[in-house]
Amino acid sequence: MSAHPEDIYLVEARYSQQRIPHYRGNPLIEALPPSLDDDALSDHLIEKPDYDPEQLDWPSYERLHMVSTLSSFLTPLERHIQLARAFDTTIRAGYVGRRPTSADRVRVFQSLYEAQQSGRAFNTMHRPTEEQLSSRVVGMSGTGKTTAIRRIFSRYPQVIYHPIYNLHQIPYLHIEAPHDGLSTKGLAASIFRKIDTLIPDAMYYSLYVKGGASGELLLNHAARVMHAHCVGVLVVDEIQNLKNTGSSKQILMSALVTASNELGVPMVFVGTHKATEVLGLDFRQGRRSAGHGFPSWPTLGASGDLNAPGEWEDFILELWKYQWNRSRILLDQYISNTMYACCQGVPDIAIKLFACAQWRAILDGSESFSSATIVDVLDKELETVKPMITAMRTGNVRALGAYQDIPPIHLSSLLDDTLNTYEGVRQRGAEVRTTDTGFVPAVANVLVQAGINDERALSMATKVAAAGKVTGIAAGAEAALALAKPRATKKRKDTPDAPLIEMAPDDYRQAFRRASADGQSAFSHLSAMGAVCRIDKVLLI
């Protein structure tokens, strides 16, 4: 589980003087990257494809791949700036009073030790000078919460090494609750796994988890490890999965809030709207998870006017610049409204609609698409999310409650689906003709793979090529395999019927003759002759 320094973003601390009075003299804060203004934050957060108009002259298969780069598209909106600012403030404020050589740091270690000796995760301690250390970011899946958080954190080193203190500082720890549920023990294990990937030669998971310790004790160990490595903020993503765990939600949420207070480590819960059921377990937890100025994270709101843009218009105007169809589609109000109706302001769905429409235009050769194309993409390529989109558009609260979240769909999977629709374009060798020199060897090779010997396969492939009726390797192989099927033999009409042989009335062959004459089954005649019996009666004997 250990990591090597070259695998992570590990830097040696360089300290910068702080103008904020209560940040001064704190090496954990002085080693962080400087705070940025809004413009600089926006430049850091932006994530756009490497687009050049010359790419429109590229062949279709290359342009298909360029459309796929939209999967990482992010244009900073006001909410992204607010979130980045909230995280930066939270990390710095959390380090106040946590200097590496401070008495408070020693006091926390002592308290954790005493709790461990008593068989508990924590003592009941409170930090009177710090309130509401926990916050939340809640919104529908597909709205870009996790993507934004990862982009924000990419500005910070994953680990900062302080040689003077022989200390590895972790500015942020981002873990995800597993889909099968999060427990106290599972949370501790996730923390150990993550830290093992960050700190060189760390083996906390092997040291603590494999020993079979209780959840309480593991959480105590996890707290000590986070404290030892000066974690700036703990982000627990997909917190809605907590509801699936068999352990008490109340116990785990209380443990998380207590850990935040005990260590002075800010904690941010990230999840879908289902997470509100978890975060609202009691007034204390609900209140704490709403602090530190973290923005709400709803779907993008539309003004309905591209000339007076809201969040949706800012987003779609920027996204629309990245087209790889040779006939450029202009964004007008009608197309913007259609896109919004089909995605309901969920950026992830909007990107996929836009990408699929471009793929269709490239593959069918039209190099163009329309609003009707967008609607058809939702009906066919994104049919799994259409019921939820419809429920959002109609405001059907009951229908929305039937869906946990928007199911994830990856652009790579959608590209495969689109290519499958245009099979002739996708199949390798689909355009090879019978007159091409590679046709016969390629078809023969397919036949050999099907179990036909080399000589016969070559002969069959040659016959198909000579007929010249197919195009493509797959079609050629299919035609050749048809040649291998045995022909049905028909009885010659001029052949006289064989003379009937006289049989005794109880000759069993009479059953088949009578069946042929009257159209009934031979079995029924055999049964009437007493030649067969019911199997159930035999088994009961």
Side-chain angles (χ1 to χ4, degrees):
M1 296 294 294
S2 60
H4 301 287
E6 61 269 21
D7 297 331
I8 59 175
Y9 181 14
L10 186 152
V11 299
E12 186 172 305
R14 295 291 183 268
Y15 305 108
S16 58
Q17 199 113 33
Q18 301 293 301
R19 294 180 61 178
I20 309 297
H22 55 291
Y23 291 170
R24 290 177 191 161
N26 188 327
L28 300 178
I29 298 176
E30 291 177 340
L32 294 174
S35 298
L36 302 177
D37 61 25
D38 289 357
D39 289 338
L41 270 178
S42 181
D43 289 342
H44 169 75
L45 293 173
I46 196 168
E47 184 74 32
K48 296 178 181 177
D50 186 5
Y51 182 83
D52 191 313
E54 293 182 0
Q55 295 165 358
L56 301 183
D57 295 325
W58 290 2
S60 60
Y61 67 90
E62 290 184 330
R63 289 185 289 134
L64 290 174
H65 288 291
M66 290 308 300
V67 175
S68 297
T69 62
L70 286 171
S71 61
S72 59
F73 176 84
L74 190 155
T75 184
L77 304 172
E78 182 62 29
R79 66 173 69 184
H80 296 94
I81 303 300
Q82 291 178 12
L83 185 62
R85 186 80 61 223
F87 268 115
D88 191 63
T89 302
T90 295
I91 293 172
R92 294 173 195 275
Y95 279 136
V96 172
R98 294 172 60 198
R99 291 175 175 82
T101 57
S102 68
D104 277 347
R105 179 174 169 81
V106 176
R107 176 187 59 79
V108 170
F109 275 128
Q110 181 66 32
S111 175
L112 290 170
Y113 168 73
E114 292 173 0
Q116 180 186 353
Q117 291 297 92
S118 302
R120 303 191 308 275
F122 307 104
N123 286 327
T124 306
M125 295 191 341
H126 299 284
R127 292 167 55 88
T129 58
E130 297 290 338
E131 295 183 356
Q132 295 187 5
L133 293 172
S134 302
S135 302
R136 67 183 176 192
V137 180
V138 174
M140 181 171 287
S141 61
T143 52
K145 304 179 300 297
T146 300
T147 299
I149 290 170
R150 287 175 179 160
R151 287 293 300 159
I152 290 167
F153 283 159
S154 68
R155 193 172 76 83
Y156 302 87
Q158 290 175 286
V159 182
I160 303 173
Y161 179 61
H162 300 257
I164 191 172
Y165 306 108
N166 190 26
L167 170 69
H168 288 90
Q169 172 190 358
I170 301 176
Y172 64 91
L173 197 63
H174 187 183
I175 63 174
E176 290 189 7
H179 289 285
D180 57 353
L182 181 67
S183 64
T184 304
K185 185 176 290 190
L187 172 67
S190 295
I191 291 171
F192 291 135
R193 285 195 195 95
K194 189 68 175 182
I195 293 180
D196 279 352
T197 65
L198 297 175
I199 304 301
D201 302 319
M203 300 183 68
Y204 294 117
Y205 185 87
S206 298
L207 179 63
Y208 295 120
V209 178
K210 293 186 177 180
S214 67
E216 281 269 312
L217 187 56
L218 280 177
L219 202 55
N220 180 282
H221 289 317
R224 286 193 297 106
V225 170
M226 285 196 296
H227 188 59
H229 293 298
C230 301
V231 172
V233 62
L234 174 63
V235 178
V236 184
D237 212 335
E238 306 291 350
I239 191 64
Q240 72 276 359
N241 291 336
L242 178 62
K243 69 182 182 63
N244 296 323
T245 184
S247 63
S248 168
K249 294 184 285 188
Q250 183 74 46
I251 292 174
L252 180 52
M253 284 302 298
S254 294
L256 287 170
V257 173
T258 303
S260 182
N261 286 334
E262 184 92 357
L263 304 176
V265 175
M267 197 170 296
V268 177
F269 303 109
V270 182
T272 66
H273 291 300
K274 295 289 182 181
T276 56
E277 299 173 11
V278 175
L279 298 174
L281 287 172
D282 62 36
F283 176 77
R284 179 172 63 101
Q285 293 160 358
R287 178 180 59 82
R288 288 183 178 276
S289 65
H292 279 294
F294 280 77
S296 58
W297 211 266
T299 57
L300 302 182
S303 69
D305 186 355
L306 290 171
N307 296 317
E311 269 193 322
W312 163 256
E313 286 77 17
D314 284 338
F315 168 82
I316 195 65
L317 283 166
E318 194 61 37
L319 176 67
W320 213 256
K321 297 175 182 177
Y322 301 96
Q323 296 185 39
W324 285 270
N325 300 144
R326 288 171 180 156
S327 297
R328 188 168 188 82
I329 310 302
L330 296 177
L331 179 67
D332 57 23
Q333 193 62 56
Y334 184 74
I335 291 183
S336 175
N337 293 346
T338 301
M339 283 284 291
Y340 191 83
C342 290
C343 76
Q344 288 299 295
V346 178
D348 183 61
I349 303 300
I351 290 170
K352 290 174 170 60
L353 287 168
F354 188 48
C356 287
Q358 291 194 56
W359 284 330
R360 282 196 186 189
I362 293 171
L363 289 168
D364 67 15
S366 67
E367 297 291 344
S368 181
F369 64 89
S370 64
S371 294
T373 310
I374 301 296
V375 175
D376 198 54
V377 166
L378 178 63
D379 286 339
K380 295 177 180 175
E381 277 90 331
L382 300 179
E383 70 273 9
T384 57
V385 302
K386 185 180 178 182
M388 177 171 284
I389 295 298
T390 301
M392 293 170 65
R393 186 168 59 248
T394 58
N396 190 332
V397 177
R398 177 172 294 183
L400 277 172
Y403 303 99
Q404 292 293 317
D405 293 301
I406 293 179
I409 306 175
H410 301 291
L411 270 183
S412 57
S413 174
L414 287 174
L415 176 56
D416 286 341
D417 292 342
T418 306
L419 288 169
N420 287 337
T421 303
Y422 301 89
E423 192 69 14
V425 178
R426 187 183 73 85
Q427 282 185 349
R428 192 177 177 184
E431 297 180 1
V432 176
R433 299 185 179 279
T434 55
T435 54
D436 293 340
T437 56
F439 181 85
V440 170
V443 171
N445 182 59
V446 175
L447 298 179
V448 170
Q449 296 297 320
I452 298 172
N453 66 61
D454 294 358
E455 185 177 346
R456 190 178 179 203
L458 185 60
S459 173
M460 294 163 62
T462 302
K463 287 182 180 179
V464 171
K469 295 180 179 180
V470 298
T471 300
I473 305 303
E478 185 178 358
L481 288 171
L483 296 176
K485 293 180 180 179
R487 296 180 180 179
T489 57
K490 294 183 179 180
K491 183 178 177 182
R492 291 180 57 181
K493 292 183 178 180
D494 57 349
T495 302
D497 293 332
L500 291 174
I501 300 174
E502 290 191 14
M503 302 178 188
D506 59 349
D507 190 316
Y508 294 155
R509 289 175 293 177
Q510 291 279 18
F512 296 94
R513 180 176 291 178
R514 292 166 186 166
S516 178
D518 62 15
Q520 297 184 29
S521 68
F523 180 85
S524 64
H525 287 288
L526 286 169
S527 180
M529 296 170 66
V532 295
C533 61
R534 292 171 58 91
I535 190 66
D536 54 344
K537 291 185 177 180
V538 175
L539 294 175
L540 290 173
I541 296 174

PDB file of all heavy atoms in Angstrom, residues 393-421:
ATOM      1  N   ARG A 393     -38.337  18.135 -15.363  1.00  0.00           N
ATOM      2  CA  ARG A 393     -38.982  19.144 -16.207  1.00  0.00           C
ATOM      3  C   ARG A 393     -40.437  19.375 -15.778  1.00  0.00           C
ATOM      4  O   ARG A 393     -40.931  20.504 -15.806  1.00  0.00           O
ATOM      5  CB  ARG A 393     -38.918  18.709 -17.667  1.00  0.00           C
ATOM      6  CG  ARG A 393     -39.446  19.762 -18.643  1.00  0.00           C
ATOM      7  CD  ARG A 393     -39.119  19.442 -20.084  1.00  0.00           C
ATOM      8  NE  ARG A 393     -39.657  18.171 -20.514  1.00  0.00           N
ATOM      9  CZ  ARG A 393     -38.942  17.105 -20.825  1.00  0.00           C
ATOM     10  NH1 ARG A 393     -37.617  17.153 -20.728  1.00  0.00           N
ATOM     11  NH2 ARG A 393     -39.504  15.992 -21.228  1.00  0.00           N
ATOM     12  N   THR A 394     -41.124  18.301 -15.387  1.00  0.00           N
ATOM     13  CA  THR A 394     -42.530  18.417 -15.005  1.00  0.00           C
ATOM     14  C   THR A 394     -42.713  18.749 -13.534  1.00  0.00           C
ATOM     15  O   THR A 394     -43.830  19.001 -13.096  1.00  0.00           O
ATOM     16  CB  THR A 394     -43.262  17.097 -15.315  1.00  0.00           C
ATOM     17  OG1 THR A 394     -42.630  16.022 -14.607  1.00  0.00           O
ATOM     18  CG2 THR A 394     -43.237  16.805 -16.811  1.00  0.00           C
ATOM     19  N   GLY A 395     -41.612  18.739 -12.764  1.00  0.00           N
ATOM     20  CA  GLY A 395     -41.718  19.030 -11.340  1.00  0.00           C
ATOM     21  C   GLY A 395     -42.408  17.937 -10.559  1.00  0.00           C
ATOM     22  O   GLY A 395     -42.992  18.186  -9.497  1.00  0.00           O
ATOM     23  N   ASN A 396     -42.331  16.699 -11.063  1.00  0.00           N
ATOM     24  CA  ASN A 396     -42.977  15.566 -10.408  1.00  0.00           C
ATOM     25  C   ASN A 396     -42.109  15.090  -9.257  1.00  0.00           C
ATOM     26  O   ASN A 396     -41.188  14.287  -9.429  1.00  0.00           O
ATOM     27  CB  ASN A 396     -43.200  14.438 -11.427  1.00  0.00           C
ATOM     28  CG  ASN A 396     -44.094  13.334 -10.876  1.00  0.00           C
ATOM     29  OD1 ASN A 396     -44.139  13.095  -9.670  1.00  0.00           O
ATOM     30  ND2 ASN A 396     -44.797  12.671 -11.763  1.00  0.00           N
ATOM     31  N   VAL A 397     -42.376  15.583  -8.064  1.00  0.00           N
ATOM     32  CA  VAL A 397     -41.567  15.276  -6.886  1.00  0.00           C
ATOM     33  C   VAL A 397     -41.619  13.790  -6.564  1.00  0.00           C
ATOM     34  O   VAL A 397     -40.616  13.170  -6.216  1.00  0.00           O
ATOM     35  CB  VAL A 397     -42.029  16.101  -5.667  1.00  0.00           C
ATOM     36  CG1 VAL A 397     -41.220  15.720  -4.438  1.00  0.00           C
ATOM     37  CG2 VAL A 397     -41.905  17.585  -5.965  1.00  0.00           C
ATOM     38  N   ARG A 398     -42.795  13.204  -6.696  1.00  0.00           N
ATOM     39  CA  ARG A 398     -42.926  11.776  -6.383  1.00  0.00           C
ATOM     40  C   ARG A 398     -42.085  10.937  -7.342  1.00  0.00           C
ATOM     41  O   ARG A 398     -41.409   9.987  -6.929  1.00  0.00           O
ATOM     42  CB  ARG A 398     -44.389  11.349  -6.469  1.00  0.00           C
ATOM     43  CG  ARG A 398     -44.604   9.858  -6.234  1.00  0.00           C
ATOM     44  CD  ARG A 398     -46.076   9.508  -6.141  1.00  0.00           C
ATOM     45  NE  ARG A 398     -46.687  10.106  -4.969  1.00  0.00           N
ATOM     46  CZ  ARG A 398     -47.963   9.906  -4.623  1.00  0.00           C
ATOM     47  NH1 ARG A 398     -48.744   9.149  -5.379  1.00  0.00           N
ATOM     48  NH2 ARG A 398     -48.455  10.475  -3.536  1.00  0.00           N
ATOM     49  N   ALA A 399     -42.118  11.283  -8.628  1.00  0.00           N
ATOM     50  CA  ALA A 399     -41.321  10.544  -9.611  1.00  0.00           C
ATOM     51  C   ALA A 399     -39.832  10.712  -9.347  1.00  0.00           C
ATOM     52  O   ALA A 399     -39.056   9.767  -9.457  1.00  0.00           O
ATOM     53  CB  ALA A 399     -41.665  11.007 -11.026  1.00  0.00           C
ATOM     54  N   LEU A 400     -39.419  11.935  -8.977  1.00  0.00           N
ATOM     55  CA  LEU A 400     -38.008  12.158  -8.672  1.00  0.00           C
ATOM     56  C   LEU A 400     -37.561  11.322  -7.488  1.00  0.00           C
ATOM     57  O   LEU A 400     -36.437  10.834  -7.434  1.00  0.00           O
ATOM     58  CB  LEU A 400     -37.766  13.644  -8.367  1.00  0.00           C
ATOM     59  CG  LEU A 400     -37.573  14.563  -9.570  1.00  0.00           C
ATOM     60  CD1 LEU A 400     -37.538  16.017  -9.116  1.00  0.00           C
ATOM     61  CD2 LEU A 400     -36.287  14.214 -10.299  1.00  0.00           C
ATOM     62  N   GLY A 401     -38.449  11.146  -6.513  1.00  0.00           N
ATOM     63  CA  GLY A 401     -38.114  10.347  -5.345  1.00  0.00           C
ATOM     64  C   GLY A 401     -37.883   8.890  -5.663  1.00  0.00           C
ATOM     65  O   GLY A 401     -37.267   8.166  -4.884  1.00  0.00           O
ATOM     66  N   ALA A 402     -38.371   8.444  -6.828  1.00  0.00           N
ATOM     67  CA  ALA A 402     -38.198   7.048  -7.216  1.00  0.00           C
ATOM     68  C   ALA A 402     -36.800   6.772  -7.732  1.00  0.00           C
ATOM     69  O   ALA A 402     -36.395   5.626  -7.871  1.00  0.00           O
ATOM     70  CB  ALA A 402     -39.223   6.666  -8.284  1.00  0.00           C
ATOM     71  N   TYR A 403     -36.045   7.848  -8.048  1.00  0.00           N
ATOM     72  CA  TYR A 403     -34.694   7.684  -8.576  1.00  0.00           C
ATOM     73  C   TYR A 403     -33.692   8.102  -7.512  1.00  0.00           C
ATOM     74  O   TYR A 403     -33.808   9.162  -6.907  1.00  0.00           O
ATOM     75  CB  TYR A 403     -34.496   8.544  -9.827  1.00  0.00           C
ATOM     76  CG  TYR A 403     -35.496   8.246 -10.914  1.00  0.00           C
ATOM     77  CD1 TYR A 403     -36.628   9.045 -11.090  1.00  0.00           C
ATOM     78  CD2 TYR A 403     -35.317   7.171 -11.763  1.00  0.00           C
ATOM     79  CE1 TYR A 403     -37.549   8.778 -12.084  1.00  0.00           C
ATOM     80  CE2 TYR A 403     -36.231   6.890 -12.756  1.00  0.00           C
ATOM     81  CZ  TYR A 403     -37.338   7.694 -12.919  1.00  0.00           C
ATOM     82  OH  TYR A 403     -38.248   7.424 -13.892  1.00  0.00           O
ATOM     83  N   GLN A 404     -32.686   7.255  -7.304  1.00  0.00           N
ATOM     84  CA  GLN A 404     -31.647   7.585  -6.324  1.00  0.00           C
ATOM     85  C   GLN A 404     -30.840   8.791  -6.810  1.00  0.00           C
ATOM     86  O   GLN A 404     -30.701   9.772  -6.129  1.00  0.00           O
ATOM     87  CB  GLN A 404     -30.724   6.382  -6.118  1.00  0.00           C
ATOM     88  CG  GLN A 404     -31.411   5.208  -5.439  1.00  0.00           C
ATOM     89  CD  GLN A 404     -31.786   5.529  -4.008  1.00  0.00           C
ATOM     90  OE1 GLN A 404     -31.002   6.130  -3.283  1.00  0.00           O
ATOM     91  NE2 GLN A 404     -32.972   5.137  -3.610  1.00  0.00           N
ATOM     92  N   ASP A 405     -30.311   8.661  -8.025  1.00  0.00           N
ATOM     93  CA  ASP A 405     -29.506   9.715  -8.634  1.00  0.00           C
ATOM     94  C   ASP A 405     -29.484   9.469 -10.127  1.00  0.00           C
ATOM     95  O   ASP A 405     -29.886   8.414 -10.608  1.00  0.00           O
ATOM     96  CB  ASP A 405     -28.058   9.691  -8.102  1.00  0.00           C
ATOM     97  CG  ASP A 405     -27.983  10.050  -6.628  1.00  0.00           C
ATOM     98  OD1 ASP A 405     -28.419  11.166  -6.292  1.00  0.00           O
ATOM     99  OD2 ASP A 405     -27.518   9.227  -5.840  1.00  0.00           O
ATOM    100  N   ILE A 406     -28.963  10.434 -10.872  1.00  0.00           N
ATOM    101  CA  ILE A 406     -28.772  10.214 -12.299  1.00  0.00           C
ATOM    102  C   ILE A 406     -27.677   9.168 -12.470  1.00  0.00           C
ATOM    103  O   ILE A 406     -26.567   9.341 -11.974  1.00  0.00           O
ATOM    104  CB  ILE A 406     -28.371  11.514 -13.012  1.00  0.00           C
ATOM    105  CG1 ILE A 406     -29.536  12.511 -12.967  1.00  0.00           C
ATOM    106  CG2 ILE A 406     -27.958  11.252 -14.448  1.00  0.00           C
ATOM    107  CD1 ILE A 406     -29.236  13.824 -13.614  1.00  0.00           C
ATOM    108  N   PRO A 407     -27.965   8.050 -13.155  1.00  0.00           N
ATOM    109  CA  PRO A 407     -26.934   7.024 -13.320  1.00  0.00           C
ATOM    110  C   PRO A 407     -25.777   7.547 -14.155  1.00  0.00           C
ATOM    111  O   PRO A 407     -25.984   8.236 -15.146  1.00  0.00           O
ATOM    112  CB  PRO A 407     -27.675   5.890 -14.043  1.00  0.00           C
ATOM    113  CG  PRO A 407     -28.851   6.546 -14.683  1.00  0.00           C
ATOM    114  CD  PRO A 407     -29.228   7.707 -13.807  1.00  0.00           C
ATOM    115  N   PRO A 408     -24.535   7.224 -13.761  1.00  0.00           N
ATOM    116  CA  PRO A 408     -23.389   7.733 -14.512  1.00  0.00           C
ATOM    117  C   PRO A 408     -23.286   7.095 -15.887  1.00  0.00           C
ATOM    118  O   PRO A 408     -23.467   5.893 -16.048  1.00  0.00           O
ATOM    119  CB  PRO A 408     -22.193   7.339 -13.630  1.00  0.00           C
ATOM    120  CG  PRO A 408     -22.677   6.162 -12.846  1.00  0.00           C
ATOM    121  CD  PRO A 408     -24.147   6.398 -12.611  1.00  0.00           C
ATOM    122  N   ILE A 409     -23.016   7.910 -16.897  1.00  0.00           N
ATOM    123  CA  ILE A 409     -22.785   7.427 -18.254  1.00  0.00           C
ATOM    124  C   ILE A 409     -21.491   8.056 -18.736  1.00  0.00           C
ATOM    125  O   ILE A 409     -21.335   9.272 -18.688  1.00  0.00           O
ATOM    126  CB  ILE A 409     -23.937   7.824 -19.205  1.00  0.00           C
ATOM    127  CG1 ILE A 409     -25.282   7.359 -18.646  1.00  0.00           C
ATOM    128  CG2 ILE A 409     -23.709   7.235 -20.581  1.00  0.00           C
ATOM    129  CD1 ILE A 409     -26.466   7.832 -19.473  1.00  0.00           C
ATOM    130  N   HIS A 410     -20.571   7.238 -19.186  1.00  0.00           N
ATOM    131  CA  HIS A 410     -19.279   7.752 -19.615  1.00  0.00           C
ATOM    132  C   HIS A 410     -19.291   8.027 -21.122  1.00  0.00           C
ATOM    133  O   HIS A 410     -19.898   7.292 -21.896  1.00  0.00           O
ATOM    134  CB  HIS A 410     -18.169   6.765 -19.251  1.00  0.00           C
ATOM    135  CG  HIS A 410     -18.081   6.486 -17.786  1.00  0.00           C
ATOM    136  ND1 HIS A 410     -17.664   7.441 -16.876  1.00  0.00           N
ATOM    137  CD2 HIS A 410     -18.386   5.375 -17.064  1.00  0.00           C
ATOM    138  CE1 HIS A 410     -17.701   6.922 -15.653  1.00  0.00           C
ATOM    139  NE2 HIS A 410     -18.137   5.677 -15.740  1.00  0.00           N
ATOM    140  N   LEU A 411     -18.564   9.069 -21.523  1.00  0.00           N
ATOM    141  CA  LEU A 411     -18.528   9.427 -22.937  1.00  0.00           C
ATOM    142  C   LEU A 411     -17.969   8.292 -23.788  1.00  0.00           C
ATOM    143  O   LEU A 411     -18.407   8.080 -24.918  1.00  0.00           O
ATOM    144  CB  LEU A 411     -17.682  10.688 -23.137  1.00  0.00           C
ATOM    145  CG  LEU A 411     -18.426  12.039 -23.065  1.00  0.00           C
ATOM    146  CD1 LEU A 411     -17.467  13.175 -23.345  1.00  0.00           C
ATOM    147  CD2 LEU A 411     -19.589  12.081 -24.026  1.00  0.00           C
ATOM    148  N   SER A 412     -17.002   7.545 -23.262  1.00  0.00           N
ATOM    149  CA  SER A 412     -16.432   6.448 -24.036  1.00  0.00           C
ATOM    150  C   SER A 412     -17.488   5.398 -24.352  1.00  0.00           C
ATOM    151  O   SER A 412     -17.522   4.840 -25.454  1.00  0.00           O
ATOM    152  CB  SER A 412     -15.272   5.803 -23.260  1.00  0.00           C
ATOM    153  OG  SER A 412     -15.709   5.350 -21.984  1.00  0.00           O
ATOM    154  N   SER A 413     -18.367   5.139 -23.395  1.00  0.00           N
ATOM    155  CA  SER A 413     -19.453   4.183 -23.617  1.00  0.00           C
ATOM    156  C   SER A 413     -20.442   4.719 -24.646  1.00  0.00           C
ATOM    157  O   SER A 413     -20.920   3.976 -25.513  1.00  0.00           O
ATOM    158  CB  SER A 413     -20.173   3.891 -22.294  1.00  0.00           C
ATOM    159  OG  SER A 413     -21.309   3.092 -22.492  1.00  0.00           O
ATOM    160  N   LEU A 414     -20.746   6.005 -24.558  1.00  0.00           N
ATOM    161  CA  LEU A 414     -21.668   6.612 -25.524  1.00  0.00           C
ATOM    162  C   LEU A 414     -21.086   6.605 -26.937  1.00  0.00           C
ATOM    163  O   LEU A 414     -21.810   6.412 -27.913  1.00  0.00           O
ATOM    164  CB  LEU A 414     -21.989   8.048 -25.107  1.00  0.00           C
ATOM    165  CG  LEU A 414     -22.912   8.205 -23.893  1.00  0.00           C
ATOM    166  CD1 LEU A 414     -23.017   9.676 -23.510  1.00  0.00           C
ATOM    167  CD2 LEU A 414     -24.287   7.633 -24.176  1.00  0.00           C
ATOM    168  N   LEU A 415     -19.779   6.795 -27.052  1.00  0.00           N
ATOM    169  CA  LEU A 415     -19.142   6.747 -28.364  1.00  0.00           C
ATOM    170  C   LEU A 415     -19.291   5.357 -28.966  1.00  0.00           C
ATOM    171  O   LEU A 415     -19.598   5.203 -30.159  1.00  0.00           O
ATOM    172  CB  LEU A 415     -17.668   7.141 -28.269  1.00  0.00           C
ATOM    173  CG  LEU A 415     -16.856   7.050 -29.573  1.00  0.00           C
ATOM    174  CD1 LEU A 415     -17.498   7.893 -30.668  1.00  0.00           C
ATOM    175  CD2 LEU A 415     -15.425   7.468 -29.336  1.00  0.00           C
ATOM    176  N   ASP A 416     -19.095   4.325 -28.140  1.00  0.00           N
ATOM    177  CA  ASP A 416     -19.275   2.953 -28.625  1.00  0.00           C
ATOM    178  C   ASP A 416     -20.697   2.737 -29.125  1.00  0.00           C
ATOM    179  O   ASP A 416     -20.919   2.117 -30.167  1.00  0.00           O
ATOM    180  CB  ASP A 416     -18.952   1.948 -27.518  1.00  0.00           C
ATOM    181  CG  ASP A 416     -17.467   1.834 -27.252  1.00  0.00           C
ATOM    182  OD1 ASP A 416     -16.683   2.228 -28.130  1.00  0.00           O
ATOM    183  OD2 ASP A 416     -17.096   1.358 -26.162  1.00  0.00           O
ATOM    184  N   ASP A 417     -21.668   3.241 -28.353  1.00  0.00           N
ATOM    185  CA  ASP A 417     -23.071   3.078 -28.752  1.00  0.00           C
ATOM    186  C   ASP A 417     -23.349   3.772 -30.089  1.00  0.00           C
ATOM    187  O   ASP A 417     -24.057   3.241 -30.950  1.00  0.00           O
ATOM    188  CB  ASP A 417     -24.001   3.647 -27.680  1.00  0.00           C
ATOM    189  CG  ASP A 417     -23.960   2.840 -26.392  1.00  0.00           C
ATOM    190  OD1 ASP A 417     -23.498   1.686 -26.443  1.00  0.00           O
ATOM    191  OD2 ASP A 417     -24.381   3.372 -25.348  1.00  0.00           O
ATOM    192  N   THR A 418     -22.803   4.971 -30.248  1.00  0.00           N
ATOM    193  CA  THR A 418     -23.027   5.714 -31.487  1.00  0.00           C
ATOM    194  C   THR A 418     -22.365   5.014 -32.667  1.00  0.00           C
ATOM    195  O   THR A 418     -22.932   4.914 -33.753  1.00  0.00           O
ATOM    196  CB  THR A 418     -22.478   7.147 -31.358  1.00  0.00           C
ATOM    197  OG1 THR A 418     -23.035   7.764 -30.193  1.00  0.00           O
ATOM    198  CG2 THR A 418     -22.843   7.980 -32.568  1.00  0.00           C
ATOM    199  N   LEU A 419     -21.153   4.505 -32.439  1.00  0.00           N
ATOM    200  CA  LEU A 419     -20.473   3.777 -33.493  1.00  0.00           C
ATOM    201  C   LEU A 419     -21.223   2.511 -33.881  1.00  0.00           C
ATOM    202  O   LEU A 419     -21.275   2.134 -35.050  1.00  0.00           O
ATOM    203  CB  LEU A 419     -19.050   3.421 -33.043  1.00  0.00           C
ATOM    204  CG  LEU A 419     -18.062   4.587 -32.968  1.00  0.00           C
ATOM    205  CD1 LEU A 419     -16.786   4.159 -32.272  1.00  0.00           C
ATOM    206  CD2 LEU A 419     -17.748   5.118 -34.351  1.00  0.00           C
ATOM    207  N   ASN A 420     -21.825   1.862 -32.893  1.00  0.00           N
ATOM    208  CA  ASN A 420     -22.599   0.653 -33.178  1.00  0.00           C
ATOM    209  C   ASN A 420     -23.798   0.962 -34.068  1.00  0.00           C
ATOM    210  O   ASN A 420     -24.245   0.118 -34.840  1.00  0.00           O
ATOM    211  CB  ASN A 420     -23.074   0.009 -31.876  1.00  0.00           C
ATOM    212  CG  ASN A 420     -21.935  -0.659 -31.127  1.00  0.00           C
ATOM    213  OD1 ASN A 420     -20.933  -1.018 -31.721  1.00  0.00           O
ATOM    214  ND2 ASN A 420     -22.086  -0.807 -29.823  1.00  0.00           N
ATOM    215  N   THR A 421     -24.335   2.166 -33.932  1.00  0.00           N
ATOM    216  CA  THR A 421     -25.462   2.568 -34.769  1.00  0.00           C
ATOM    217  C   THR A 421     -25.046   2.666 -36.232  1.00  0.00           C
ATOM    218  O   THR A 421     -25.829   2.424 -37.146  1.00  0.00           O
ATOM    219  CB  THR A 421     -26.012   3.929 -34.298  1.00  0.00           C
ATOM    220  OG1 THR A 421     -26.371   3.825 -32.918  1.00  0.00           O
ATOM    221  CG2 THR A 421     -27.240   4.331 -35.102  1.00  0.00           C
TER     222      THR A 421
END
